């Protein structure tokens, strides 16, 4: 019985931790890399701060190198409160989609509206982060590249299919594990109940037999 309860408690703790991690932790998820011409697209860029208890500020710059070009061009900047589109090719087409109401930026995603084939190339987001300690400040620069391909019609990537399959396999596996634990616990409880009933029956028979013997002894003595 105790082993059964322990297994269920472990399962509950595992599920609770999983939920907490999903809700509270920063996860550096890679951006999608395929956009459809004429539609909107989100350039994803997340840089998690390694020590959450340290105060920090950050600014973000986006650079772009078009397909066939050799150098990156500065196209966009965001400082936590205001944004500035620098390259005229992206005027009225870029919009901040990342962290809001904070100077400690960790999500620097931006939206592109009305994607064109000329947007194919490499987008680079650069975090300029300052970690604020009690007696000094530490500057750190982190950059990430998004290799964007613009297509006429959406296609589903292999990575997306594999991720979805793995998600369903994990869910089914967890449900099967829970079902096995429930069956195991039910059998343990049922077996313990039957053993208790047998013990009670044996105890009742022993008491009845002892009472019968006592009664017989009393009659002989009379």
């Amino acid at each position: 019985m105790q082993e059964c309860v322990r297994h269920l408690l472990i399962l509950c703790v595992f599920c609770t931790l999983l939920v907490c991690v999903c809700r509270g932790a920063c996860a550096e998820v890679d951006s999608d890399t395929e956009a459809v011409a004429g539609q909107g697209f989100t350039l994803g860029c997340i840089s998690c701060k390694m020590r959450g208890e340290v105060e920090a500020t950050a600014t973000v710059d986006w650079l772009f190198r078009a397909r066939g070009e050799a150098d990156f061009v500065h196209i966009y900047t965001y400082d936590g409160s205001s944004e500035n589109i620098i390259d005229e090719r992206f005027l009225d087409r870029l919009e901040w989609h990342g962290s809001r109401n904070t100077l400690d930026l960790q999500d620097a995603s931006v939206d592109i509206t009305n994607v064109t084939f000329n947007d194919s190339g490499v987008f680079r987001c650069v975090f300029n982060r300052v970690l604020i300690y009690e007696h000094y400040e530490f500057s750190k620069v982190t950059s990430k590249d998004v290799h964007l391909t613009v297509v006429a019609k959406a296609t589903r990537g292999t990575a997306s299919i594999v991720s979805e399959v793995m998600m369903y396999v994990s869910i089914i596996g967890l449900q099967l594990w829970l079902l096995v634990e429930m069956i195991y616990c039910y059998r343990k409880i049922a077996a313990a109940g039957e053993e208790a009933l047998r013990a009670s029956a044996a105890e009742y028979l022993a008491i009845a037999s002892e009472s019968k013997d006592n009664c017989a002894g009393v009659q002989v003595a009379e």
Side-chain angles (χ1 to χ4, degrees):
M1 180 71 70
Q2 293 180 350
E3 183 180 358
C4 173
V5 174
R6 185 170 63 252
H7 287 175
L8 289 178
L9 287 175
I10 292 174
L11 180 61
C12 292
V13 170
F14 172 78
C15 294
T16 302
L17 291 176
L18 185 62
V19 171
C20 291
V21 168
C22 291
R23 289 183 179 179
C26 174
E28 297 191 5
V29 181
D30 293 334
S31 173
D32 291 334
T33 57
E34 184 179 275
V36 180
Q39 298 184 12
F41 181 79
T42 299
L43 289 166
C45 180
I46 299 176
S47 175
C48 297
K49 188 173 61 178
M50 299 306 295
R51 296 189 63 184
E53 69 275 12
V54 178
E55 294 185 5
T57 61
T59 59
V60 174
D61 296 299
W62 276 93
L63 313 177
F64 176 59
R65 186 182 67 196
R67 182 173 295 174
E69 295 183 358
D71 299 322
F72 281 93
V73 177
H74 192 191
I75 63 172
Y76 178 89
T77 186
Y78 184 80
D79 62 4
S81 59
S82 61
E83 57 186 340
N84 184 23
I85 301 174
I86 301 170
D87 195 308
E88 61 181 9
R89 291 174 294 179
F90 296 94
L91 287 176
D92 300 323
R93 295 205 301 129
L94 281 181
E95 183 177 356
W96 182 255
H97 188 82
S99 304
R100 298 184 184 276
N101 302 319
T102 178
L103 296 178
D104 186 5
L105 304 175
Q106 298 188 66
D107 184 353
S109 303
V110 293
D111 291 332
I112 304 179
T113 60
N114 192 24
V115 175
T116 69
F117 289 102
N118 292 330
D119 295 331
S120 295
V122 181
F123 289 85
R124 173 174 294 173
C125 77
V126 181
F127 281 85
N128 300 283
R129 178 173 286 133
V130 178
L131 299 175
I132 304 172
Y133 294 90
E134 185 176 358
H135 299 293
Y136 70 99
E137 296 181 352
F138 177 78
S139 298
K140 181 179 181 181
V141 177
T142 303
S143 64
K144 292 192 174 185
D145 291 347
V146 179
H147 296 262
L148 183 65
T149 301
V150 180
V151 297
K153 185 179 180 180
T155 59
R156 192 176 183 189
T158 303
S160 175
I161 297 175
V162 172
S163 298
E164 186 173 345
V165 170
M166 291 302 297
M167 179 186 68
Y168 285 119
V169 169
S170 300
I171 293 174
I172 293 173
L174 186 59
Q175 290 178 339
L176 290 176
W177 180 31
L178 180 59
L179 179 61
V180 170
E181 288 291 338
M182 291 177 64
I183 293 174
Y184 171 77
C185 290
Y186 173 79
R187 290 183 175 178
K188 290 281 289 184
I189 294 171
E194 292 178 357
E195 183 177 354
L197 288 175
R198 287 195 296 268
S200 298
E203 184 178 357
Y204 173 78
L205 291 175
I207 293 174
S209 177
E210 183 179 356
S211 298
K212 183 178 179 181
D213 293 340
N214 291 338
C215 292
V218 171
Q219 291 178 354
V220 171
E222 292 179 351

